[in-house]
Amino acid sequence: MNRVRKYKESIIVRDIMEHFNMELVNEGDLDFEINTPSLYQIGYELIGFFDEDGDELNKYLHIFGKKEAIYVDKLSSEKKSEMWNKYFTYNFPALIITGETKVTKEMVEAAKKNNKTILKSPMRTSKTIREMKFFLSKELAEEKMINGYMLLEILGVGVMLTGYEDAKLGVTIELLERGHKLITDNNLIIKRMAENDLEGYNRFDKTIMDSHFFIVNNRDGSKIDVTTQFGIKATRKMKRIDMLVVLEEWDEKKFYDRLGLDEVYEEFLGEKIPKVTVPVRKGRNLAIILETAALNYRLKMMGVNSAEYFMQESKKIIAANRVKQGDSDMNNDKLLPVRKLKNEFNLKVLHGEDKLDSTYVKTTGIHRPSLALSGYVDMYEDEGYTGVQLFSKVEFKYLESLSEEKRIENLKRYLEFHFPIIVLTSDAEMPQYFFDLIKEKDLILCRSPYKKSSQLIANFNGFLETYFTPNLSLHGVFLELYGFGVLLVGKSGIGKSETALELIHRGHRLIADDMVKFVKDVSGDIIGKAAKLPYFMEIRGLGIIDIKTLYGLGAVRINKKLDIIIELKEQERDNYLTSVDYQSTSSEILGNKIPKVILYISSGRNAAAMVEIAVMNLMAIMLGHDPEKLYEEGMKRMTEEERKILEA
């Protein structure tokens, strides 16, 4: 049963004096009850203004510090006595003089006359106020006792955990093993220490010794001694509550948030606590998910909202694609904006800067116009003119060998084809007549940083072949493990992203989540990268998370060769298959056969560890060490008697 109460209805002045070891300057009513956690630093009263209707003069503890003392010292003795006598007529609990402040004769005389308590703090003004506010808030704060909630400190974040009982105990133990801290198990007291500040601690004395913490299994009443099992470092007595995580048994029919754009809260003692609902099913590593939730909370507190950033960038990409689709030059074929080519090779634009975004390269061809400059342009009419044109000093030397009339005639005929871009090598000296014709035809002319035309052609070819090669997008998570490109696939909800998240936590790297785009490069390798924004992951319950920001640049990479496909499948009841033949199982991706492994997921099986083993096994096979073959050969060499012993 949950109910709200005050931990103490009130404390007395004597409690304050004893707790802070204060000197009793003048004894008044030490049993005066204090029932509000507020302090009042006197000020207006020193100049003769008294707010008689306010709580400050009648209920709050009063503080008299050094600054106030400096002002009072300037008053005459008569004024001091008059002010203090009037001041001490009000019904406040006590006046506390801070450590660096002198006690005056007039003050003590007025206090004795009115039977008021004066205490001398051993601390300076700022510390006195800070420590007393904390003490009063703790002693007098409104609190709520709630059952069924655990409180943990995960990466410095106070996480209140409730929901699915079977999962709650298991994930708590795993989090403790991973170095996080327990504040309380199912018996939680929440205190409202101040605005936007809820603290939680255990409502029962859970000790056999003063420092021992326990977790109680509600099913059978058994106890786990956390202090003995994990050490005192795994516990703390109180923690600020930052977020609430609700564990919920997976419901196939229910929609779980995968974006995290909508903030959900639950209210405790008038304070709203951010709430995250995490569905529980086989293959989901809840400890990793809760750690990531804590990291994501810290990131939000720093002003970075990964989900909002993801959506903003996605909208920009969509808007840019719409502009391209609306361009009159666009068709169903894949096109390469000239600006992309310019940026890729750091080309210097000599003419046509304004056309870079509206002009497209449509083929992988790179043409040197040797025959065209002689007047033969049939090849362009037959093959099209959508590729890159290259001019080196050789082309200009040939033009110079022609008569001026023929040179201009051939060039004009050649430039009528309106090529998307003409690129000069770095050592090509362009004559003025050539540049004049370029401007007349309003073509894009650039100079490359490459001196040799062979180097320019090789680099351009590699880029263009990759860009225009057929591609394939697959649903899954693409990672790098031990230098291998690993694609995790499986039906929706099987736990691909969660398994990948644990692998990233283990030091492996993310290339793409959800949708992976694969192309075949010029060497024939299948290269994968993110089909949309890189470095983001979607986790059911948490929404969008930014892996690069949460785990650092070492946890991501842009692209990677695909080496192995690992399919995660849910293990059927009474089916204990654990592997398939690595050699005979493969999938065809863009014409290449890629090794494929099937891993069966069930409760108690660590999917991330199994993926690591599968990749290491592939490494062994590539190095010529095939465990299955070695096993079969060993079995063949065994004698009949040895085989019987083994089978027994």
Side-chain angles (χ1 to χ4, degrees):
M1 180 178 177
N2 301 338
R3 63 189 181 90
V4 179
R5 68 170 189 179
K6 287 284 188 71
Y7 180 62
K8 290 182 180 177
E9 292 297 331
S10 64
I11 58 175
I12 59 175
V13 173
R14 192 186 306 276
D15 295 333
I16 300 286
M17 181 180 72
E18 292 175 353
H19 181 81
F20 291 103
N21 194 27
M22 292 183 177
E23 176 189 346
L24 182 60
V25 177
N26 187 70
E27 183 174 350
D29 183 4
L30 293 179
D31 294 322
F32 194 114
E33 290 188 350
I34 303 164
N35 51 29
T36 178
S38 300
L39 297 174
Y40 178 61
Q41 194 166 1
I42 64 174
Y44 285 113
E45 296 75 17
L46 304 179
I47 58 174
F49 177 78
F50 294 87
D51 183 11
E52 298 182 0
D53 297 326
D55 288 339
E56 291 86 351
L57 282 176
N58 298 297
K59 294 182 179 180
Y60 296 177
L61 279 166
H62 287 198
I63 304 292
F64 184 71
K66 185 177 180 180
K67 290 181 180 179
E68 292 76 29
I70 292 172
Y71 173 79
V72 171
D73 280 345
K74 296 177 181 179
L75 301 177
S76 65
S77 179
E78 184 180 344
K79 280 282 187 184
K80 289 178 186 177
S81 296
E82 181 184 345
M83 184 272 294
W84 285 121
N85 275 312
K86 184 173 182 181
Y87 169 73
F88 281 119
T89 60
Y90 290 92
N91 192 35
F92 56 88
L95 176 66
I96 297 171
I97 312 298
T98 58
E100 75 275 37
T101 307
K102 292 180 180 179
V103 178
T104 65
K105 178 183 67 173
E106 294 85 358
M107 178 194 300
V108 176
E109 288 175 351
K112 285 181 178 179
K113 182 179 177 181
N114 292 279
N115 193 32
K116 287 295 180 183
T117 300
I118 299 178
L119 301 175
K120 185 77 161 65
S121 169
M123 301 172 287
R124 298 177 68 86
T125 303
S126 58
K127 189 173 183 181
T128 297
I129 293 172
R130 183 172 65 251
E131 294 291 335
M132 287 189 64
K133 277 186 175 179
F134 178 79
F135 175 76
L136 291 171
S137 295
K138 182 179 177 182
E139 293 296 309
L140 299 173
E142 187 180 24
E143 68 178 28
K144 184 176 185 178
M145 298 188 299
I146 51 177
N147 294 323
Y149 287 77
M150 287 184 168
L151 182 58
L152 300 148
E153 182 187 74
I154 304 174
L155 301 171
V157 178
V159 179
M160 199 158 56
L161 186 63
T162 190
Y164 191 22
E165 196 66 35
D166 288 345
K168 193 169 61 172
L169 181 62
V171 71
T172 299
I173 292 172
E174 185 171 354
L175 286 166
L176 293 174
E177 288 176 339
R178 297 172 76 93
H180 306 295
K181 296 184 179 183
L182 173 75
I183 290 86
T184 178
D185 60 354
N186 292 321
N187 305 290
L188 176 64
I189 288 182
I190 297 175
K191 276 194 169 187
R192 188 176 185 272
M193 306 298 287
E195 188 176 356
N196 299 321
D197 185 7
L198 292 182
E199 300 277 341
Y201 67 98
N202 203 306
R203 97 186 214 206
F204 291 130
D205 181 10
K206 308 279 292 177
T207 64
I208 49 174
M209 294 187 296
D210 288 343
S211 59
H212 280 237
F213 283 66
F214 291 86
I215 297 175
V216 178
N217 186 338
N218 289 334
R219 288 189 177 276
D220 58 14
S222 60
K223 293 182 179 180
I224 299 170
D225 186 338
V226 173
T227 309
T228 299
Q229 295 292 331
F230 302 101
I232 196 168
K233 69 182 189 308
T235 63
R236 63 177 294 173
K237 292 184 177 180
M238 180 177 276
K239 176 64 184 172
R240 172 192 164 95
I241 298 170
D242 297 303
M243 64 183 299
L244 169 65
V245 175
V246 179
L247 301 179
E248 180 180 290
E249 192 169 4
W250 187 285
D251 184 351
E252 296 286 352
K253 298 178 181 178
K254 184 175 179 179
F255 171 77
Y256 293 102
D257 184 18
R258 298 190 66 174
L259 294 178
L261 289 171
D262 299 325
E263 295 286 353
V264 180
Y265 298 91
E266 189 160 325
E267 193 170 295
F268 297 90
L269 298 178
E271 297 292 341
K272 290 183 177 180
I273 300 295
K275 176 182 174 182
V276 173
T277 300
V278 177
V280 179
R281 65 166 296 165
K282 296 175 184 178
R284 300 200 92 197
N285 189 316
L286 295 178
I288 293 291
I289 292 173
L290 263 61
E291 285 179 335
T292 305
L295 282 173
N296 209 40
Y297 172 83
R298 290 176 60 176
L299 198 61
K300 286 182 179 180
M301 292 302 100
M302 295 165 64
V304 180
N305 190 315
S306 300
E308 288 182 0
Y309 176 77
F310 178 84
M311 293 306 296
Q312 289 168 4
E313 293 302 306
S314 296
K315 287 176 182 177
K316 290 179 185 177
I317 292 172
I318 292 169
N321 288 339
R322 284 176 179 169
V323 170
K324 289 181 182 179
Q325 289 169 1
D327 195 287
S328 59
D329 289 337
M330 293 289 285
N331 55 37
N332 292 328
D333 298 325
K334 188 171 183 180
L335 306 178
L336 171 65
V338 172
R339 182 175 294 280
K340 189 174 181 70
L341 189 68
K342 177 254 181 189
N343 292 340
E344 182 71 23
F345 293 100
N346 195 27
L347 303 178
K348 181 181 179 182
V349 181
L350 304 177
H351 187 267
E353 178 77 40
D354 59 326
K355 299 167 68 67
L356 294 179
D357 293 313
S358 58
T359 308
Y360 301 92
V361 177
K362 302 177 182 179
T363 179
T364 59
I366 301 175
H367 300 283
R368 297 188 69 177
S370 52
L371 292 175
L373 295 181
S374 68
Y376 179 75
V377 293
D378 292 356
M379 60 176 293
Y380 290 111
E381 292 173 349
D382 295 338
E383 298 179 11
Y385 45 88
T386 58
V388 177
Q389 302 295 306
L390 170 62
F391 272 72
S392 67
K393 59 183 180 181
V394 175
E395 279 70 30
F396 288 121
K397 276 186 179 180
Y398 174 75
L399 285 172
E400 291 299 320
S401 69
L402 302 176
S403 66
E404 183 177 350
E405 182 181 351
K406 192 68 174 174
R407 177 193 312 153
I408 300 300
E409 179 187 341
N410 290 355
L411 265 178
K412 282 185 175 180
R413 190 176 180 190
Y414 165 70
L415 295 176
E416 285 293 334
F417 288 97
H418 293 283
F419 304 106
I421 182 173
I422 298 173
V423 181
L424 310 180
T425 57
S426 62
D427 63 345
E429 296 181 6
M430 174 181 58
Q432 186 61 43
Y433 64 81
F434 181 82
F435 189 57
D436 290 341
L437 286 172
I438 291 290
K439 290 193 290 184
E440 181 184 318
K441 300 296 182 182
D442 196 20
L443 300 176
I444 298 174
L445 178 66
C446 295
R447 186 178 294 280
S448 85
Y450 304 112
K451 184 176 181 180
K452 293 183 178 180
S453 55
S454 58
Q455 185 182 7
L456 188 151
I457 291 171
N459 290 343
F460 271 45
N461 264 332
F463 174 76
L464 293 171
E465 288 290 345
T466 300
Y467 188 86
F468 285 103
T469 192
N471 61 78
L472 175 68
S473 292
L474 295 175
H475 180 70
V477 187
F478 194 34
L479 302 132
E480 182 191 65
L481 276 77
Y482 307 119
F484 284 79
V486 181
L487 177 65
L488 297 183
V489 297
K491 72 175 185 178
S492 180
I494 193 67
K496 299 183 295 295
S497 295
E498 290 80 5
T499 301
L501 194 58
E502 182 172 359
L503 288 166
I504 292 165
H505 193 84
R506 289 168 177 242
H508 305 294
R509 299 203 277 182
L510 173 73
I511 293 104
D513 176 56
D514 191 39
M515 193 59 67
V516 190
K517 182 179 179 181
F518 290 100
V519 298
K520 182 183 282 190
D521 69 4
V522 290
S523 64
D525 292 332
I526 306 301
I527 306 298
K529 65 177 184 178
K532 46 185 179 181
L533 286 171
Y535 316 139
F536 288 90
M537 291 186 75
E538 296 177 6
I539 304 293
R540 282 181 175 85
L542 301 188
I544 301 290
I545 59 172
D546 184 349
I547 296 298
K548 177 168 64 69
T549 304
L550 291 178
Y551 291 93
L553 285 170
V556 296
R557 64 174 294 166
I558 296 173
N559 55 38
K560 180 66 184 171
K561 173 190 171 186
L562 175 62
D563 295 297
I564 183 172
I565 299 171
I566 296 180
E567 182 179 359
L568 303 181
K569 282 189 175 182
E570 189 170 356
Q571 182 171 296
E572 297 176 4
R573 189 174 298 176
D574 299 327
N575 181 355
Y576 294 98
L577 290 174
T578 58
S579 65
V580 295
D581 190 338
Y582 287 89
Q583 293 180 329
S584 63
T585 304
S586 63
S587 289
E588 189 169 300
I589 306 293
L590 296 174
N592 287 20
K593 284 191 174 182
I594 306 296
K596 181 178 179 181
V597 177
I598 298 175
L599 297 180
Y600 291 89
I601 304 301
S602 66
S603 299
R605 309 193 81 188
N606 190 311
M610 293 168 68
V611 169
E612 286 181 326
I613 294 297
V615 175
M616 286 190 281
N617 200 55
L618 175 66
M619 292 169 62
I621 292 171
M622 293 180 69
L623 292 169
H625 183 85
D626 190 331
E628 290 190 12
K629 282 186 177 180
L630 290 173
Y631 178 79
E632 289 174 3
E633 290 171 2
M635 289 293 289
K636 289 176 182 177
R637 290 195 297 268
M638 290 176 66
T639 64
E640 187 67 29
E641 185 177 342
E642 289 172 330
R643 192 175 290 109
K644 286 180 180 178
I645 294 171
L646 182 65
E647 290 174 353

